[in-house]
Amino acid sequence: MKSAKKVLILGVNGFIGSSLAWRMLTDTNWDVTGMDVSSGKISHCLECERFHFFKKDALADNDWIESAVRDCDVVLPLVAIATPALYVKDPLRVYRLDYESNIRVVEWCAKYGKRIVFPSTSEVYGMCPDAAFDEEQSSLVLGPIAKERWIYSCIKQMLDRVIWAYGKHEGLKFTLFRPFNFIGPKQDDINSPKEGASRVLTQFIHNIINGKPLKLVDGGAQERSFTFIDDGIDCLMKIIENKDGCADGQIFNIGNPEMKFSIRGLAELLISLISKYPGYADAAGKTVVENVSSREYYGEGYQDVPRRVPSIRRAREILGWNPKTTLEQAVRLTLDYHLLHKDYELERSFGR
Ligand code: UGA
């Protein structure tokens, strides 16, 4: 049993927060306080007595957040807009939520001497030309200001730098982690992904099962290293556990370099896997794949990341972590959830 901790997750109903809370409740004796504006993904957590949920707004409920930070040991501020279409369409909303709400949390962590485990992002590396992005060596390469897509990356980079400075100059205990295209069942709402407003896997599944064409932005040659949420949570648990302080003051990429796929490759894999699910062979077989320009799909302010592969040497060496799940397994588990209503998370924990 891991030593007891009081963990605060801001944005607990998100993709990462909901999986993380459930893992903590099933695998540890930690006390988990979660805050979010809604609770649809955490209904199973709500039944656990070590879980305390508060319906609050990250921009409005400052007094509550400050006192929750004061009362816990570790804070995970996971509140953020993380969909590229919104970086372009509503950059000020991204700024307010992702920057303004989080900088306050960083300051409270510094003020009250609390450990912060902060979600940086693979997006901070931007268009870095390195074959594998390295936390200590790679340059962070963003486009011009008019390419508004980079506001998210820039905000996260600024927060990374402020947290780093608080750590170095004022003793803040911190760890920065950088998720690389986490995928899994509860990522975005499969039933109502507005065109371009959800991440690529959800968008593609929705389109295939609803007879809509798959749109490959600028031809789909761009590559991502997809990471199954469960592998990501394994790594995060090691970070939060922080055995002998191994994660203190560190930055970790959390990704799966073996799962590097082009977007076109992802589209092909999905069509082939969905065709094997009962009742979906016809829809999958009829799927049309078409090219669309990024300007048409996202608008003027978009610029893409041509290739995104993490170095995970530090997570391997320092944390002893390794991702285990292949893209095919990850996609199958995601499809089982959406098409067969099977929840691997619940099955795994109740099966123990
Ligand atoms: C994402 C988001 O910025 C964040 O969720 C996160 O910080 C980061 O990456 C991450 O998870 O590492 P991106 O990789 O561009 O950004 O995520 P998607 O929106 O899933 O797009 C992936 C690629 O698919 C992009 O090149 C996009 O242009 C393409 N795409 C997307 C299509 O070709 N067609 C679509 O219908 C949707």
Side-chain angles (χ1 to χ4, degrees):
M1 191 58 79
K2 300 178 169 88
S3 64
K5 286 184 203 300
K6 283 173 83 173
V7 182
L8 173 64
I9 306 179
L10 303 170
V12 71
N13 192 48
F15 177 40
I16 296 178
S18 56
S19 275
L20 185 61
W22 183 242
R23 181 73 76 84
M24 288 179 186
L25 295 170
T26 51
D27 280 18
T28 74
N29 58 353
W30 300 347
D31 190 83
V32 183
T33 296
M35 180 227 83
D36 212 308
V37 284
S38 52
S39 58
K41 291 180 185 165
I42 49 167
S43 48
H44 41 297
C45 298
L46 295 173
E47 290 164 24
C48 181
E49 62 181 26
R50 273 186 293 113
F51 184 65
H52 320 284
F53 176 69
F54 295 84
K55 191 171 176 186
K56 301 282 177 192
D57 182 325
L59 284 172
D61 294 311
N62 291 326
D63 292 347
W64 183 88
I65 298 172
E66 182 174 2
S67 84
V69 168
R70 210 172 33 217
D71 289 347
C72 72
D73 302 318
V74 188
V75 184
L76 287 111
L78 304 182
V79 173
I81 290 169
T83 40
L86 283 172
Y87 312 158
V88 177
K89 283 200 189 85
D90 203 348
L92 288 177
R93 203 173 132 214
V94 175
Y95 167 73
R96 288 187 192 109
L97 191 68
D98 294 19
Y99 189 78
E100 291 192 340
S101 76
N102 283 314
I103 192 70
R104 285 196 282 266
V105 177
V106 173
E107 284 160 0
W108 289 322
C109 287
K111 179 174 172 189
Y112 297 114
K114 304 299 177 178
R115 177 170 178 232
I116 184 166
V117 175
F118 187 77
S120 176
T121 171
S122 65
E123 290 252 342
V124 294
Y125 297 104
M127 300 175 289
C128 173
D130 296 354
F133 300 162
D134 182 278
E135 301 93 330
E136 295 175 320
Q137 303 295 330
S138 289
S139 294
L140 312 180
V141 183
L142 308 191
I145 298 299
K147 295 294 176 192
E148 291 172 298
R149 185 245 166 85
W150 302 114
I151 195 162
Y152 173 75
S153 170
C154 186
I155 286 167
K156 288 284 190 177
Q157 185 187 150
M158 184 66 186
L159 287 161
D160 285 4
R161 291 188 186 279
V162 172
I163 291 169
W164 182 274
Y166 265 118
K168 195 157 175 217
H169 301 282
E170 298 195 8
L172 175 69
K173 267 183 103 178
F174 74 91
T175 308
L176 304 176
F177 66 94
R178 296 186 173 151
F180 276 66
N181 289 82
F182 282 12
I183 53 170
K186 294 170 194 165
Q187 184 165 25
D188 303 296
D189 184 355
I190 191 85
N191 296 314
S192 58
K194 289 183 212 81
E195 183 85 310
S198 58
R199 267 63 61 93
V200 65
L201 179 66
T202 324
Q203 189 71 55
F204 280 1
I205 298 173
H206 170 87
N207 287 20
I208 295 171
I209 65 178
N210 290 290
K212 300 176 187 171
L214 297 190
K215 297 190 176 170
L216 298 178
V217 173
D218 292 335
Q222 61 275 44
E223 292 172 331
R224 296 291 186 272
S225 302
F226 296 98
T227 310
F228 189 50
I229 180 75
D230 224 34
D231 285 336
I233 298 294
D234 285 346
C235 188
L236 261 178
M237 289 297 286
K238 285 177 182 284
I239 289 173
I240 299 163
E241 189 183 358
N242 198 20
K243 196 157 180 267
D244 303 322
C246 66
D248 284 337
Q250 306 281 357
I251 308 177
F252 295 106
N253 290 337
I254 308 182
N256 192 339
E258 310 301 321
M259 292 230 293
K260 178 168 72 73
F261 263 70
S262 69
I263 301 305
R264 179 177 287 280
L266 177 71
E268 286 162 2
L269 177 72
L270 262 178
I271 292 171
S272 140
L273 289 180
I274 291 181
S275 71
K276 298 187 183 103
Y277 280 75
Y280 292 98
D282 198 38
K286 288 187 181 146
T287 303
V288 174
V289 179
E290 56 189 43
N291 290 332
V292 59
S293 74
S294 54
R295 192 175 171 178
E296 205 182 317
Y297 193 79
Y298 289 109
E300 279 291 340
Y302 186 78
Q303 197 166 25
D304 214 325
V305 175
R307 193 163 177 280
R308 177 187 284 165
V309 182
S311 156
I312 52 168
R313 180 186 54 80
R314 307 189 84 252
R316 280 192 174 125
E317 289 176 7
I318 300 172
L319 303 170
W321 169 79
N322 251 313
K324 302 188 280 273
T325 318
T326 65
L327 183 61
E328 185 165 332
Q329 289 165 335
V331 170
R332 273 185 202 282
L333 289 166
T334 306
L335 291 173
D336 285 354
Y337 179 81
H338 291 300
L339 307 183
L340 304 176
H341 309 293
K342 277 173 72 174
D343 188 334
Y344 78 92
E345 266 186 346
L346 294 187
E347 285 180 7
R348 194 190 57 175
S349 44
F350 291 133
R352 275 197 288 244

